[in-house]
Structure formats: C-alpha cells, structure tokens
Amino acid sequence: MIKVIIVDDEPLAQDVLETYVEKFPELSLVQKCNNALEANEVLKNQDIDLMFLDIQMPQLTGIDFLKTLTRPPLVIFTTAYPNYALEGFELNALDYLLKPISLERFIKAVNKAVEQIKLQRNEPGSVSANAAEGGDHPDYIFVKADKKLVKVNYHDIIYIEGLKDYVIIRMENQRVITLQTMKSLEDKLPAPRFKRIHRSYIINIDKINAIVGNMVEVMEKNQPKHLPIGKNYRDELNDMIEKNKL
C-alpha cells in the first residue's frame, strides 16, 4: 500500500481529494491535515509515501513547510495559484495540480507517483525495477531502445518528438528512439519540468531559449531550433509565461 496524507486548510478541497484517493485501491489515506504543523506530526510518527500539499495555508505555507523537511515524501502540490509552479519544481515536487482539480488530471499525477514509488521500492512493474538506483527523487528515466534499457538524465533532454508509435528523445550529443506513445511518456515525466506544447512535442522547460510568435526556440547542436506550439496547448503555456514575465 502507498500511504497518503492530505494537507489543506479547506474542508471542501480535502473532501475532493479524499474522494479521488478512494478510487485507487493501492492508496491508503492515513490522515487529512488542516495545516503544516499537523502534517509535521504525522510525518514524524509514520512513514508516508505521498503528500498532497496545499500552498496557501495559515501559519506556514506548503512551500515553506516542504523546505523544513530533510526527508520529505513524494509531494504533489495542490493550489489555486499557478505562479508557484516553478518554485514547486525547484523543490522537486512530483506534480502541481491547479484547483479545481479534475479527476483526469488527478489520475495522471497519481500514476506518476505510483511509478516513482515502485522504482524506489524496486518493485516489479516499474519502468525498470532492476535498473532503479533508489533515491527520494530520481532525476532520470530508463527507456527501452536498441534491445537494452538506456538511462536518460532529465537535464540532458532538450525536447521529445513523437512519430506515430515511436518517440525521439533529443539531447545535445545523442538521440534515443523508443517504441511508445507521447502520452505514455508524458505521464512518466515530472511536471512542471516537462510540458507538452504540441501533439508531437514535449519540451524541457529549462531548455527554452525564447518564445517567438507561436514557436518555442531551443538550442540544438549550437543552432536555434523552433518547435510549434499547438493551439490546444497554447493557453497553458501562455499562462506559465505570463506568471513568470517581467
């Protein structure tokens, strides 16, 4: 079982998350906490695997609380404020859910968490149980390519390109081609570090050089490369840009 706590000062938000958690037989809700101090007591006395953590709370914000923890569980931020996304990423949050949280988006986040926990526990059924090296927040993924499992570090990825049932993971000095869909890979990559900008492209936010009209500019082989922004992904990307624009 995966032990879960919910930390949120809004009873309605707690109830929504509890209802969603109950839909997953592998998740066990240990406690609903009204603030960070209550959550801290739970974490001191129990081994918690996953924490749904609100940001705007009285006494101590979710971000400040996470900074106090030396060995935090996996964290999925839940908030009504998109401007905290990048700070959440810097704290190695697994995902960032904007309220009101849809069930579809919740399922996507939990699937990432389950996969990550399987990797930590070295359980069968993970991306690579034999290759997993443990650690609280792995910074890599293993993909099947050329009849072997290739380790790909997140920070090396520039962007990912989809070609029917294959994806190409493009890095500075190499590329990895693997047989899987964009959707399956998107579900495994940590948000908001990676963002889908087009049905055929996922971008590493760290590698964005500029936004040029309806294109994202990255550097590939020391040359600017322009990737299209799909109309179904434009609003979400623009929201992120607006919240972090001077």
Side-chain angles (χ1 to χ4, degrees), residues 122-134:
N122 203 30
E123 291 182 2
S126 61
V127 173
S128 174
N130 294 329
E133 298 176 1

Side-chain angles (χ1 to χ4, degrees), residues 146-172:
D146 298 326
K147 298 181 181 181
K148 59 186 176 182
L149 286 167
V150 179
K151 182 181 179 183
V152 177
N153 294 312
Y154 291 146
H155 64 78
D156 290 335
I157 299 173
I158 303 173
Y159 65 94
I160 297 161
E161 182 178 3
L163 295 171
K164 294 186 178 180
D165 294 330
Y166 289 84
V167 298
I168 305 174
I169 302 173
R170 296 192 181 272
M171 295 167 279
E172 187 62 39

Side-chain angles (χ1 to χ4, degrees), residues 182-201:
M182 288 285 280
K183 181 66 168 62
S184 65
L185 186 55
E186 181 186 10
D187 288 343
K188 292 180 176 69
L189 293 170
R193 186 169 190 169
F194 291 90
K195 183 171 287 294
R196 187 85 171 260
I197 63 167
H198 187 275
R199 60 186 176 85
S200 299
Y201 294 101

Side-chain angles (χ1 to χ4, degrees):
M1 295 296 289
I2 295 173
K3 293 183 178 180
V4 174
I5 61 171
I6 294 168
V7 189
D8 200 307
D9 64 317
E10 299 176 5
L12 180 59
Q14 289 185 1
D15 292 344
V16 170
L17 288 171
E18 181 179 16
T19 300
Y20 287 173
V21 166
E22 289 174 348
K23 296 182 183 297
F24 287 80
E26 63 266 55
L27 301 185
S28 174
L29 180 60
V30 173
Q31 189 166 324
K32 294 186 293 183
C33 304
N34 296 314
N35 53 60
L37 298 180
E38 286 184 20
N40 192 53
E41 288 302 310
V42 176
L43 293 176
K44 286 195 299 184
N45 295 302
Q46 298 204 50
D47 292 327
I48 300 300
D49 303 300
L50 177 62
M51 176 166 58
F52 292 95
L53 182 60
D54 188 22
I55 291 180
Q56 288 289 2
M57 295 186 294
Q59 297 179 303
L60 193 65
T61 70
I63 285 176
D64 288 339
F65 173 52
L66 184 54
K67 290 177 181 178
T68 70
L69 302 176
T70 55
R71 294 183 61 83
L74 288 179
V75 171
I76 296 175
F77 277 123
T78 60
T79 180
Y81 302 95
N83 50 304
Y84 291 105
L86 290 182
E87 190 169 2
F89 157 66
E90 290 171 356
L91 292 171
N92 290 321
L94 183 69
D95 211 333
Y96 189 97
L97 301 180
L98 282 175
K99 299 176 182 178
I101 300 167
S102 69
L103 179 58
E104 179 184 5
R105 187 66 183 84
F106 181 88
I107 290 171
K108 179 178 177 181
V110 169
N111 285 342
K112 287 184 186 179
V114 170
E115 182 63 40
Q116 194 82 283
I117 290 166
K118 283 183 178 180
L119 281 170
Q120 292 175 10
R121 294 176 177 176
N122 203 30
E123 291 182 2
S126 61
V127 173
S128 174
N130 294 329
E133 298 176 1
D136 288 336
H137 300 285
D139 199 36
Y140 54 83
I141 192 170
F142 284 89
V143 296
K144 293 180 181 179
D146 298 326
K147 298 181 181 181
K148 59 186 176 182
L149 286 167
V150 179
K151 182 181 179 183
V152 177
N153 294 312
Y154 291 146
H155 64 78
D156 290 335
I157 299 173
I158 303 173
Y159 65 94
I160 297 161
E161 182 178 3
L163 295 171
K164 294 186 178 180
D165 294 330
Y166 289 84
V167 298
I168 305 174
I169 302 173
R170 296 192 181 272
M171 295 167 279
E172 187 62 39
N173 298 313
Q174 64 171 320
R175 67 177 188 174
V176 174
I177 302 175
T178 180
L179 177 62
Q180 62 180 293
T181 64
M182 288 285 280
K183 181 66 168 62
S184 65
L185 186 55
E186 181 186 10
D187 288 343
K188 292 180 176 69
L189 293 170
R193 186 169 190 169
F194 291 90
K195 183 171 287 294
R196 187 85 171 260
I197 63 167
H198 187 275
R199 60 186 176 85
S200 299
Y201 294 101
I202 298 171
I203 188 76
N204 183 344
I205 295 298
D206 287 348
K207 303 296 185 179
I208 293 178
N209 192 48
I211 305 294
V212 185
N214 289 323
M215 309 288 282
V216 171
E217 181 182 288
V218 297
M219 296 299 293
E220 185 178 13
K221 297 181 179 179
N222 295 319
Q223 297 291 328
K225 170 81 174 183
H226 293 95
L227 308 176
I229 301 170
K231 63 180 181 180
N232 294 332
Y233 305 92
R234 189 175 301 138
D235 289 345
E236 188 176 346
L237 184 63
N238 285 339
D239 287 344
M240 184 201 75
I241 294 167
E242 287 297 321
K243 296 298 181 181
N244 297 278
K245 184 172 70 173
L246 294 178

